[in-house]
Each structure stands twice: as structure tokens, then as C-alpha cells.
Amino acid sequence: MNNQSIRKSLQFLIFLTWTLGVVTSAKENFPFPAELEHDVEFWLRVYTEVDTKSGFIHDARNLAAVYETIKLGNNSYKNRRHIRAAKAKYAKILRKLGRGKRTGLTAEEQRVLALWGEGVSNRRLKRAAADLRFQLGQSDRFLEGLVRSGEWLPHIRKTLAERGLPPELEALPHVESSFNPEAYSSVGAAGIWQFTRSTGRRFLRIDYVVDERMDPYKASVAAAQLLEHNYNVTGSWPLALTAYNHGVAGMRRAARKLGSKDIATLVRKYKGRTFGFASRNFYVAFLAALKVSRDPARYFPPFQSAQPVDYEVVKVPDYISMNAFAEAFRLRPSTLKHHNRSLMAPIWSGDKRIPKGFNIRIPRDKLPQATGELIAAIPASERFKEQTPDLFHKVARGDTISQIATRYGYSIRQIMALNGLNNSHYIRAGQVLRLPAAGTDVARATPRPAATKVAAAKAVVTEETPPVRVETAALSVEEDVGTNEPDVEADLEQATQAGLEVAVELQASDGASPISLADPSDYAISEDNTIEIQASETLGHYAEWLGLRASQLRRINGLRYGQPVVIGQRLKLDFSRVNPKAFLQHRIAYQKSLQEAFFSSYQISSTSTHVVLPGESLWELSQRNYKVPVWLLRQYNPDLDINNVRPGTVIVIPELVKT
């Protein structure tokens, strides 16, 4: 055998070893339960057979029961009417079958019955009449995503490999956004990884000048961090992936309730209030997307993906207007905008300058000469030490009064009074708010932090801290049925941007929702009206939210005057004046305000581990060693008894960077 043959044999052996490794990794990390085979097949059909001008009428729980493929037109009213008529048709058939009718059936009735197989009960068929659902096709979007993905996949693969994460995770943006970098969902999730603001701000800069969710490169690093966190908390990749949609608190709660981490068991049996169609189907949709992305030519022949762009990264030395920068580099602003999506509208309109220190990506083949020479050519008159000051603020989607007040360093009351606002809960996107004073320097990577205190270095909180009043966010979700208008029949479970995803930041009706999808803390109210005490909460907070005196809570919990409540323990509440839903809204709003204020000044860059030494406490590690608030340390170690940390215990420490 000659050298060339030996080399080819070795290359084939390496390729075979890698392939077997990938297959083994996929089977071990992302199991394919036989019970979910029909579900995966359903999403394969959605992603490869029907486009966004058509869709399936199907059963919401038995995805093997696909009754009809519907073609849609350009008229949204007619589309909705068509879908409603189809649902009514099959509901009538299913109710008839549910009454036990088995003889004298029409061909159509026999076809519907056959979809359920032998032995289906009348009760199940009656339920099916209420479980009819329409799913929009995605084949055209998926193909577009496959083409687009080639530009960023090398970076995503490198990012996953550097963190030791499974390579299969690269398929997740197909489910989330079809790799559309400009994707923006009806609930405010943005970019190819569909980060919401409150989750994204833990890892990314998100403000009205820069939104790194729209940068596929930076957002991919953040997504890897979040997925790693989800896995560390849940201990299972199917649960970690589902937590990307449903939140780690929701998945921990589901696993505890059923006593199982088996994804098929959770999908089939868990009945959480917000564990709807999107959450139930997130993992199986991922498996389908993974299968298609591994062999795209099989489903979309011929196939050719986009190629990565070779960039030169230029660090902006001062605050510079986009026009001055583009002129110096002899580029059109539109060219720069295409490759720097995280820069927001005020930059491109000239209302704001490019932030000092911002890294601009420029395709190397667009550079007329060395970047150093081009930067040096920008005149001193176009360089500034500060950002352009604000006079007004235009409300963006997702903004709240408290966020705007925090950003500019004013109080909610000041902004409300100046703008004649009677209700701090209501502002609308596009509304222009006058600020209390002009000339404010907002040239910082994130808004100014509110005056919040890091938890004290002991496992207690007092009852004297006054509660903070904050607003809650309204949640509205719509379904797109392939037209320019929303489907008025849509509900939370049917929300879709790329066919499936729905990101929920605050759903007080659930009774236990996290502040963000990365927050595994248990805010639920148990059936016995008890809650788990969380960091930064006091007896004074609970009394305020319940409309009671703190002494009444001390009495029903057998607490002496001055005796502090202990984080992690349970406290019994009295809902005689305030219902549980209202209490939960106050609690979540408070925690959300606390966490948003913190993440306006800090981001999580990575994690490390610490082995507890004799004499060390979690409070000392929080305050003295790592300067991490207790509530954040608890989120990264949710199963840790913080009041009894033993030597040798391994603790995950989030590493923070100041922004």
C-alpha cells in the first residue's frame, strides 16, 4: 500500500470515528423514545412537506392524527374562516364517533376513525373534538434557514466545542428562528436564538443603542452559556432543551411532580398550566430539525448553504457618528448595517453615535486599505468623548416605566409627572416620553443600576426592609397563519414565529413562573398556602403584598418578634385580603425589578466551581470571595441547602463582568 492509500485510509478511519462519535453522542445526549416517534415524524412533515401557504388540521396531543392539509390564500379573513370551517367539520365527525357510532359510516368518517387505530375509546374521541389545532407549514422557512445557517455554523460549532457542549445543539436555531437574524417574536424574543430581554440581559448588552441579541456571533456564545446552565440545573439534555422554551423552574417542577426525568413521560403526562403545545413539542421538534439539518440534501435537493464571511473587526476608539465612520471607510451605511445588526435604529438615523469600544465587523474584501489608516483619517471634529445626550425617549417594545427610569437615573414618579401619566403599568410602543432634564450622559453599555443592596452575609433576612413597588408586564401572543394579519383564534399554545417557539417571561397565572427562563427559583404557592422564602425577600415584603401586618404572619408561623425568616424554608401565608394571583404578581414583579437592576450593571461571562473548605459558608463566598448576590448564587445551585453547606461541596460560581 502506497503513502497516498495509507493517507486516504487514515482519513476515512478518522471520519468514521468522528461519525460514530457523533451518532453515539446524539443517542446518549438526545434519546429518541419510541413513544415519541409519531411526534418527530409530524415535525419532519411540518419542516419538509408543507410551506407557509399551507398547514395541517391535527389533534393537539396525538400528532399521528393529521386530518387534512389546508391550502391558504392571501386573504387573512378567508384563511381564518377556512380553518374554522375545517375544525368544525372534524369536530362534528369526532363527536359522532365519540357517541359510539361505528356502522353506516361515510368514507370520510371511516378515514378519521382509522387515524386513531383500533381500540380507541369513545371518551378519547370526544376529547379529540376539542383538541383540534392548526399548524402552519414551515418547509420554505426551514430551507431558507438551512441556506442562512452556513454563514454562522462554523462559529456556533467552535463555541459549542470550546464549552464542551454537544454539537447537536447547533440545530436549535432552526426551531427557534429558522436562523433568521432579524427574527422578532410577538412576545419580544429576538435574533436567531430568540432571547427575551430579561434572559438575554444576563449574558448580553441589550439597550436602545445596542441589542446583542441581534448579533448571531455574540448571541451564540450567550445561548451556549444558557444551555450549559440549563443542563447543570436539570441534569438532562432533553430537559435542558425544553427549559430553553419553558424555563428551568418549570422543568424542575415537572420532573419533581412526576418523579421522572424521562422526556417521553413528561411530554405525555405532565399537566402544568403553561406546559402547552409549544413546550410539549419543543424537544421532538428539535429532533426533527436535527435530522433534517444533518442531511439537508435528502429533503431539499439540490442544496447549497451560504458561506461564512471573512471579517475584519474594528474597535471604535471614540464616540463616532455612523456617517463619519462610513465615509472614512468608504462604505455605504447599508453595508455596515447588514453586518452589524446589533446597532439599533438611533445609530443609523444619526441620533446616537457608535459607542466607544464597540467592535464593528467589516468584510475584508470591502476594505480599501489598512483599518488603522482608515481610523486615523477620521478628523478630530468627528470624535467625541461622550454619547449624544437625550432629550426624549421613544418607547420600544418591551419597555416599562421602571426600566426607563432606571436607564436614565430618574424615579418612576418623576417621569410619570412630567408626561402626565396616571398609570405606571401602561405605555405603548412608539410613544415619546419627555425626560426630566436634557444633557444626560447615557453612554454606558447598560442602564444605570438602581440602588439595590446585595444580600447580607448571613442566611436570614429581616422584616423591616420596605418593599419596592414595580409594574408587571402584560403578555399577548398571536399566531401567524401566513398572512399580514394575526389569527384572532390564536392562543398561547399556538404561538409561532418559526412554527413552534414561544418565550414566556412572566405568567402569573401559572402560579410558579420564573423571572426569566434562566431562573430556576421556586416562586410557587403550594396548596397549603406556603411559599419557599427566597433571597432578598422579607416578612415586610410578604405583609405588604398580602395587605397584612407582619405581626400576623409571625403569629401564624410561630415566629417570635425580631426572629428573622430563613432563606429556603417555607412560610405560611394568609390570603384573606389578597388572592394568591395578586400576591404572586407582586412577588414576581419585585424579583424581576431586583434582577433587572443587577443585570443593568453586570453580565454573566462564564462559570467556575468552588470546593467548600472547612469554616466557609455560602454567605462568605457570596460577599467576600466572589461578590455574587445570594439570589444569583442560589439560581446556579438550586438544590444546595445554603444554611448547611458541608466541606467538600462543589458550588457553581457565575463569573460576572461589569458593563
Side-chain angles (χ1 to χ4, degrees), residues 81-108:
R81 189 172 63 181
H82 190 184
I83 292 169
R84 284 197 295 268
K87 287 182 178 180
K89 167 189 171 183
Y90 290 107
K92 182 178 180 180
I93 292 174
L94 289 163
R95 285 194 293 267
K96 181 177 181 180
L97 296 173
R99 291 193 294 268
K101 181 72 173 178
R102 295 294 185 274
T103 59
L105 299 177
T106 66
E108 184 71 345

PDB file of all heavy atoms in Angstrom, residues 81-108:
ATOM      1  N   ARG A  81     -61.519  31.857   8.235  1.00  0.00           N
ATOM      2  CA  ARG A  81     -62.815  31.205   8.028  1.00  0.00           C
ATOM      3  C   ARG A  81     -62.628  29.765   7.536  1.00  0.00           C
ATOM      4  O   ARG A  81     -63.344  28.850   7.972  1.00  0.00           O
ATOM      5  CB  ARG A  81     -63.642  32.011   7.028  1.00  0.00           C
ATOM      6  CG  ARG A  81     -65.087  31.546   6.913  1.00  0.00           C
ATOM      7  CD  ARG A  81     -65.898  32.500   6.069  1.00  0.00           C
ATOM      8  NE  ARG A  81     -65.396  32.563   4.699  1.00  0.00           N
ATOM      9  CZ  ARG A  81     -65.913  33.341   3.747  1.00  0.00           C
ATOM     10  NH1 ARG A  81     -66.938  34.142   4.045  1.00  0.00           N
ATOM     11  NH2 ARG A  81     -65.417  33.355   2.535  1.00  0.00           N
ATOM     12  N   HIS A  82     -61.648  29.569   6.651  1.00  0.00           N
ATOM     13  CA  HIS A  82     -61.353  28.232   6.133  1.00  0.00           C
ATOM     14  C   HIS A  82     -60.913  27.300   7.261  1.00  0.00           C
ATOM     15  O   HIS A  82     -61.359  26.147   7.359  1.00  0.00           O
ATOM     16  CB  HIS A  82     -60.251  28.346   5.070  1.00  0.00           C
ATOM     17  CG  HIS A  82     -60.024  27.090   4.296  1.00  0.00           C
ATOM     18  ND1 HIS A  82     -59.020  26.967   3.356  1.00  0.00           N
ATOM     19  CD2 HIS A  82     -60.637  25.885   4.327  1.00  0.00           C
ATOM     20  CE1 HIS A  82     -59.054  25.752   2.850  1.00  0.00           C
ATOM     21  NE2 HIS A  82     -60.017  25.073   3.421  1.00  0.00           N
ATOM     22  N   ILE A  83     -60.037  27.790   8.126  1.00  0.00           N
ATOM     23  CA  ILE A  83     -59.535  26.978   9.239  1.00  0.00           C
ATOM     24  C   ILE A  83     -60.665  26.645  10.211  1.00  0.00           C
ATOM     25  O   ILE A  83     -60.804  25.500  10.663  1.00  0.00           O
ATOM     26  CB  ILE A  83     -58.393  27.714   9.964  1.00  0.00           C
ATOM     27  CG1 ILE A  83     -57.163  27.795   9.051  1.00  0.00           C
ATOM     28  CG2 ILE A  83     -58.015  27.003  11.271  1.00  0.00           C
ATOM     29  CD1 ILE A  83     -56.074  28.718   9.565  1.00  0.00           C
ATOM     30  N   ARG A  84     -61.489  27.642  10.538  1.00  0.00           N
ATOM     31  CA  ARG A  84     -62.610  27.395  11.449  1.00  0.00           C
ATOM     32  C   ARG A  84     -63.579  26.370  10.874  1.00  0.00           C
ATOM     33  O   ARG A  84     -64.078  25.502  11.596  1.00  0.00           O
ATOM     34  CB  ARG A  84     -63.344  28.704  11.750  1.00  0.00           C
ATOM     35  CG  ARG A  84     -62.612  29.614  12.722  1.00  0.00           C
ATOM     36  CD  ARG A  84     -63.554  30.671  13.282  1.00  0.00           C
ATOM     37  NE  ARG A  84     -64.011  31.581  12.247  1.00  0.00           N
ATOM     38  CZ  ARG A  84     -63.402  32.735  11.943  1.00  0.00           C
ATOM     39  NH1 ARG A  84     -62.317  33.096  12.597  1.00  0.00           N
ATOM     40  NH2 ARG A  84     -63.884  33.520  10.999  1.00  0.00           N
ATOM     41  N   ALA A  85     -63.851  26.463   9.573  1.00  0.00           N
ATOM     42  CA  ALA A  85     -64.780  25.518   8.938  1.00  0.00           C
ATOM     43  C   ALA A  85     -64.223  24.103   8.981  1.00  0.00           C
ATOM     44  O   ALA A  85     -64.963  23.135   9.234  1.00  0.00           O
ATOM     45  CB  ALA A  85     -65.047  25.942   7.494  1.00  0.00           C
ATOM     46  N   ALA A  86     -62.926  23.962   8.736  1.00  0.00           N
ATOM     47  CA  ALA A  86     -62.307  22.635   8.770  1.00  0.00           C
ATOM     48  C   ALA A  86     -62.361  22.056  10.182  1.00  0.00           C
ATOM     49  O   ALA A  86     -62.664  20.867  10.371  1.00  0.00           O
ATOM     50  CB  ALA A  86     -60.868  22.719   8.282  1.00  0.00           C
ATOM     51  N   LYS A  87     -62.083  22.889  11.172  1.00  0.00           N
ATOM     52  CA  LYS A  87     -62.156  22.412  12.560  1.00  0.00           C
ATOM     53  C   LYS A  87     -63.576  21.974  12.905  1.00  0.00           C
ATOM     54  O   LYS A  87     -63.783  20.942  13.559  1.00  0.00           O
ATOM     55  CB  LYS A  87     -61.689  23.509  13.520  1.00  0.00           C
ATOM     56  CG  LYS A  87     -60.194  23.763  13.523  1.00  0.00           C
ATOM     57  CD  LYS A  87     -59.862  24.842  14.545  1.00  0.00           C
ATOM     58  CE  LYS A  87     -58.372  25.100  14.629  1.00  0.00           C
ATOM     59  NZ  LYS A  87     -58.055  26.158  15.627  1.00  0.00           N
ATOM     60  N   ALA A  88     -64.542  22.762  12.482  1.00  0.00           N
ATOM     61  CA  ALA A  88     -65.940  22.431  12.770  1.00  0.00           C
ATOM     62  C   ALA A  88     -66.333  21.112  12.112  1.00  0.00           C
ATOM     63  O   ALA A  88     -67.053  20.292  12.700  1.00  0.00           O
ATOM     64  CB  ALA A  88     -66.849  23.561  12.289  1.00  0.00           C
ATOM     65  N   LYS A  89     -65.851  20.910  10.897  1.00  0.00           N
ATOM     66  CA  LYS A  89     -66.150  19.670  10.172  1.00  0.00           C
ATOM     67  C   LYS A  89     -65.644  18.451  10.936  1.00  0.00           C
ATOM     68  O   LYS A  89     -66.388  17.477  11.147  1.00  0.00           O
ATOM     69  CB  LYS A  89     -65.516  19.731   8.779  1.00  0.00           C
ATOM     70  CG  LYS A  89     -65.483  18.404   8.039  1.00  0.00           C
ATOM     71  CD  LYS A  89     -64.656  18.513   6.766  1.00  0.00           C
ATOM     72  CE  LYS A  89     -64.420  17.144   6.129  1.00  0.00           C
ATOM     73  NZ  LYS A  89     -63.556  17.254   4.918  1.00  0.00           N
ATOM     74  N   TYR A  90     -64.393  18.496  11.372  1.00  0.00           N
ATOM     75  CA  TYR A  90     -63.819  17.328  12.048  1.00  0.00           C
ATOM     76  C   TYR A  90     -64.323  17.202  13.480  1.00  0.00           C
ATOM     77  O   TYR A  90     -64.420  16.084  14.007  1.00  0.00           O
ATOM     78  CB  TYR A  90     -62.295  17.396  11.995  1.00  0.00           C
ATOM     79  CG  TYR A  90     -61.782  17.168  10.593  1.00  0.00           C
ATOM     80  CD1 TYR A  90     -61.275  18.230   9.834  1.00  0.00           C
ATOM     81  CD2 TYR A  90     -61.864  15.921   9.990  1.00  0.00           C
ATOM     82  CE1 TYR A  90     -60.850  18.042   8.535  1.00  0.00           C
ATOM     83  CE2 TYR A  90     -61.442  15.717   8.684  1.00  0.00           C
ATOM     84  CZ  TYR A  90     -60.932  16.785   7.959  1.00  0.00           C
ATOM     85  OH  TYR A  90     -60.521  16.587   6.662  1.00  0.00           O
ATOM     86  N   ALA A  91     -64.683  18.304  14.108  1.00  0.00           N
ATOM     87  CA  ALA A  91     -65.276  18.219  15.444  1.00  0.00           C
ATOM     88  C   ALA A  91     -66.608  17.481  15.382  1.00  0.00           C
ATOM     89  O   ALA A  91     -66.927  16.666  16.260  1.00  0.00           O
ATOM     90  CB  ALA A  91     -65.462  19.617  16.023  1.00  0.00           C
ATOM     91  N   LYS A  92     -67.383  17.766  14.341  1.00  0.00           N
ATOM     92  CA  LYS A  92     -68.677  17.102  14.170  1.00  0.00           C
ATOM     93  C   LYS A  92     -68.486  15.597  13.961  1.00  0.00           C
ATOM     94  O   LYS A  92     -69.192  14.781  14.570  1.00  0.00           O
ATOM     95  CB  LYS A  92     -69.411  17.718  12.983  1.00  0.00           C
ATOM     96  CG  LYS A  92     -70.795  17.135  12.738  1.00  0.00           C
ATOM     97  CD  LYS A  92     -71.484  17.835  11.564  1.00  0.00           C
ATOM     98  CE  LYS A  92     -72.871  17.246  11.322  1.00  0.00           C
ATOM     99  NZ  LYS A  92     -73.546  17.934  10.168  1.00  0.00           N
ATOM    100  N   ILE A  93     -67.507  15.236  13.140  1.00  0.00           N
ATOM    101  CA  ILE A  93     -67.240  13.816  12.890  1.00  0.00           C
ATOM    102  C   ILE A  93     -66.780  13.127  14.174  1.00  0.00           C
ATOM    103  O   ILE A  93     -67.235  12.026  14.516  1.00  0.00           O
ATOM    104  CB  ILE A  93     -66.176  13.654  11.788  1.00  0.00           C
ATOM    105  CG1 ILE A  93     -66.734  14.111  10.439  1.00  0.00           C
ATOM    106  CG2 ILE A  93     -65.683  12.210  11.700  1.00  0.00           C
ATOM    107  CD1 ILE A  93     -65.706  14.132   9.318  1.00  0.00           C
ATOM    108  N   LEU A  94     -65.884  13.765  14.909  1.00  0.00           N
ATOM    109  CA  LEU A  94     -65.335  13.157  16.123  1.00  0.00           C
ATOM    110  C   LEU A  94     -66.391  13.029  17.213  1.00  0.00           C
ATOM    111  O   LEU A  94     -66.395  12.044  17.968  1.00  0.00           O
ATOM    112  CB  LEU A  94     -64.146  13.986  16.612  1.00  0.00           C
ATOM    113  CG  LEU A  94     -62.891  13.876  15.742  1.00  0.00           C
ATOM    114  CD1 LEU A  94     -61.925  15.014  16.046  1.00  0.00           C
ATOM    115  CD2 LEU A  94     -62.203  12.529  15.944  1.00  0.00           C
ATOM    116  N   ARG A  95     -67.284  14.007  17.320  1.00  0.00           N
ATOM    117  CA  ARG A  95     -68.365  13.883  18.305  1.00  0.00           C
ATOM    118  C   ARG A  95     -69.289  12.722  17.953  1.00  0.00           C
ATOM    119  O   ARG A  95     -69.761  11.990  18.836  1.00  0.00           O
ATOM    120  CB  ARG A  95     -69.154  15.191  18.381  1.00  0.00           C
ATOM    121  CG  ARG A  95     -68.427  16.305  19.133  1.00  0.00           C
ATOM    122  CD  ARG A  95     -69.365  17.447  19.471  1.00  0.00           C
ATOM    123  NE  ARG A  95     -69.814  18.132  18.266  1.00  0.00           N
ATOM    124  CZ  ARG A  95     -69.215  19.200  17.742  1.00  0.00           C
ATOM    125  NH1 ARG A  95     -68.118  19.688  18.311  1.00  0.00           N
ATOM    126  NH2 ARG A  95     -69.691  19.780  16.656  1.00  0.00           N
ATOM    127  N   LYS A  96     -69.535  12.540  16.668  1.00  0.00           N
ATOM    128  CA  LYS A  96     -70.377  11.424  16.218  1.00  0.00           C
ATOM    129  C   LYS A  96     -69.712  10.098  16.556  1.00  0.00           C
ATOM    130  O   LYS A  96     -70.354   9.188  17.105  1.00  0.00           O
ATOM    131  CB  LYS A  96     -70.608  11.535  14.710  1.00  0.00           C
ATOM    132  CG  LYS A  96     -71.492  10.440  14.116  1.00  0.00           C
ATOM    133  CD  LYS A  96     -71.710  10.689  12.625  1.00  0.00           C
ATOM    134  CE  LYS A  96     -72.608   9.616  12.005  1.00  0.00           C
ATOM    135  NZ  LYS A  96     -72.819   9.874  10.555  1.00  0.00           N
ATOM    136  N   LEU A  97     -68.416   9.992  16.275  1.00  0.00           N
ATOM    137  CA  LEU A  97     -67.685   8.772  16.603  1.00  0.00           C
ATOM    138  C   LEU A  97     -67.592   8.596  18.115  1.00  0.00           C
ATOM    139  O   LEU A  97     -67.615   7.466  18.623  1.00  0.00           O
ATOM    140  CB  LEU A  97     -66.283   8.822  15.993  1.00  0.00           C
ATOM    141  CG  LEU A  97     -66.216   8.854  14.460  1.00  0.00           C
ATOM    142  CD1 LEU A  97     -64.776   9.087  13.993  1.00  0.00           C
ATOM    143  CD2 LEU A  97     -66.756   7.550  13.875  1.00  0.00           C
ATOM    144  N   GLY A  98     -67.505   9.693  18.840  1.00  0.00           N
ATOM    145  CA  GLY A  98     -67.420   9.629  20.290  1.00  0.00           C
ATOM    146  C   GLY A  98     -68.702   9.139  20.941  1.00  0.00           C
ATOM    147  O   GLY A  98     -68.686   8.709  22.105  1.00  0.00           O
ATOM    148  N   ARG A  99     -69.810   9.210  20.226  1.00  0.00           N
ATOM    149  CA  ARG A  99     -71.076   8.678  20.749  1.00  0.00           C
ATOM    150  C   ARG A  99     -71.199   7.181  20.496  1.00  0.00           C
ATOM    151  O   ARG A  99     -72.229   6.580  20.816  1.00  0.00           O
ATOM    152  CB  ARG A  99     -72.250   9.425  20.118  1.00  0.00           C
ATOM    153  CG  ARG A  99     -72.369  10.881  20.565  1.00  0.00           C
ATOM    154  CD  ARG A  99     -73.705  11.490  20.178  1.00  0.00           C
ATOM    155  NE  ARG A  99     -73.841  11.602  18.724  1.00  0.00           N
ATOM    156  CZ  ARG A  99     -73.491  12.680  18.019  1.00  0.00           C
ATOM    157  NH1 ARG A  99     -72.972  13.740  18.648  1.00  0.00           N
ATOM    158  NH2 ARG A  99     -73.657  12.713  16.713  1.00  0.00           N
ATOM    159  N   GLY A 100     -70.168   6.591  19.892  1.00  0.00           N
ATOM    160  CA  GLY A 100     -70.162   5.143  19.684  1.00  0.00           C
ATOM    161  C   GLY A 100     -70.570   4.698  18.303  1.00  0.00           C
ATOM    162  O   GLY A 100     -70.685   3.494  18.044  1.00  0.00           O
ATOM    163  N   LYS A 101     -70.778   5.635  17.395  1.00  0.00           N
ATOM    164  CA  LYS A 101     -71.192   5.292  16.035  1.00  0.00           C
ATOM    165  C   LYS A 101     -70.072   4.550  15.317  1.00  0.00           C
ATOM    166  O   LYS A 101     -68.954   5.055  15.192  1.00  0.00           O
ATOM    167  CB  LYS A 101     -71.539   6.572  15.271  1.00  0.00           C
ATOM    168  CG  LYS A 101     -72.007   6.354  13.840  1.00  0.00           C
ATOM    169  CD  LYS A 101     -73.400   5.765  13.778  1.00  0.00           C
ATOM    170  CE  LYS A 101     -73.916   5.717  12.350  1.00  0.00           C
ATOM    171  NZ  LYS A 101     -75.251   5.092  12.263  1.00  0.00           N
ATOM    172  N   ARG A 102     -70.310   3.316  14.868  1.00  0.00           N
ATOM    173  CA  ARG A 102     -69.291   2.536  14.167  1.00  0.00           C
ATOM    174  C   ARG A 102     -69.814   1.886  12.886  1.00  0.00           C
ATOM    175  O   ARG A 102     -69.041   1.311  12.117  1.00  0.00           O
ATOM    176  CB  ARG A 102     -68.744   1.429  15.082  1.00  0.00           C
ATOM    177  CG  ARG A 102     -67.977   1.940  16.305  1.00  0.00           C
ATOM    178  CD  ARG A 102     -66.703   2.653  15.903  1.00  0.00           C
ATOM    179  NE  ARG A 102     -65.912   3.032  17.062  1.00  0.00           N
ATOM    180  CZ  ARG A 102     -66.080   4.162  17.744  1.00  0.00           C
ATOM    181  NH1 ARG A 102     -67.027   5.020  17.363  1.00  0.00           N
ATOM    182  NH2 ARG A 102     -65.328   4.433  18.792  1.00  0.00           N
ATOM    183  N   THR A 103     -71.120   1.928  12.653  1.00  0.00           N
ATOM    184  CA  THR A 103     -71.684   1.333  11.439  1.00  0.00           C
ATOM    185  C   THR A 103     -72.320   2.427  10.596  1.00  0.00           C
ATOM    186  O   THR A 103     -72.724   3.485  11.104  1.00  0.00           O
ATOM    187  CB  THR A 103     -72.749   0.274  11.787  1.00  0.00           C
ATOM    188  OG1 THR A 103     -73.792   0.891  12.561  1.00  0.00           O
ATOM    189  CG2 THR A 103     -72.126  -0.863  12.590  1.00  0.00           C
ATOM    190  N   GLY A 104     -72.432   2.142   9.303  1.00  0.00           N
ATOM    191  CA  GLY A 104     -73.031   3.106   8.397  1.00  0.00           C
ATOM    192  C   GLY A 104     -72.235   4.385   8.274  1.00  0.00           C
ATOM    193  O   GLY A 104     -72.801   5.450   7.997  1.00  0.00           O
ATOM    194  N   LEU A 105     -70.910   4.298   8.474  1.00  0.00           N
ATOM    195  CA  LEU A 105     -70.048   5.474   8.412  1.00  0.00           C
ATOM    196  C   LEU A 105     -69.752   5.858   6.969  1.00  0.00           C
ATOM    197  O   LEU A 105     -69.634   4.995   6.092  1.00  0.00           O
ATOM    198  CB  LEU A 105     -68.736   5.214   9.150  1.00  0.00           C
ATOM    199  CG  LEU A 105     -68.818   4.894  10.642  1.00  0.00           C
ATOM    200  CD1 LEU A 105     -67.425   4.598  11.195  1.00  0.00           C
ATOM    201  CD2 LEU A 105     -69.466   6.039  11.410  1.00  0.00           C
ATOM    202  N   THR A 106     -69.601   7.139   6.716  1.00  0.00           N
ATOM    203  CA  THR A 106     -69.166   7.609   5.407  1.00  0.00           C
ATOM    204  C   THR A 106     -67.675   7.299   5.239  1.00  0.00           C
ATOM    205  O   THR A 106     -66.966   6.974   6.222  1.00  0.00           O
ATOM    206  CB  THR A 106     -69.378   9.121   5.263  1.00  0.00           C
ATOM    207  OG1 THR A 106     -68.510   9.800   6.185  1.00  0.00           O
ATOM    208  CG2 THR A 106     -70.828   9.504   5.555  1.00  0.00           C
ATOM    209  N   ALA A 107     -67.213   7.416   4.024  1.00  0.00           N
ATOM    210  CA  ALA A 107     -65.791   7.164   3.768  1.00  0.00           C
ATOM    211  C   ALA A 107     -64.921   8.126   4.576  1.00  0.00           C
ATOM    212  O   ALA A 107     -63.863   7.759   5.093  1.00  0.00           O
ATOM    213  CB  ALA A 107     -65.500   7.302   2.269  1.00  0.00           C
ATOM    214  N   GLU A 108     -65.364   9.377   4.693  1.00  0.00           N
ATOM    215  CA  GLU A 108     -64.602  10.369   5.449  1.00  0.00           C
ATOM    216  C   GLU A 108     -64.565  10.021   6.933  1.00  0.00           C
ATOM    217  O   GLU A 108     -63.538  10.144   7.604  1.00  0.00           O
ATOM    218  CB  GLU A 108     -65.205  11.760   5.243  1.00  0.00           C
ATOM    219  CG  GLU A 108     -64.438  12.883   5.902  1.00  0.00           C
ATOM    220  CD  GLU A 108     -63.100  13.200   5.254  1.00  0.00           C
ATOM    221  OE1 GLU A 108     -62.600  12.373   4.452  1.00  0.00           O
ATOM    222  OE2 GLU A 108     -62.535  14.268   5.552  1.00  0.00           O
TER     223      GLU A 108
END
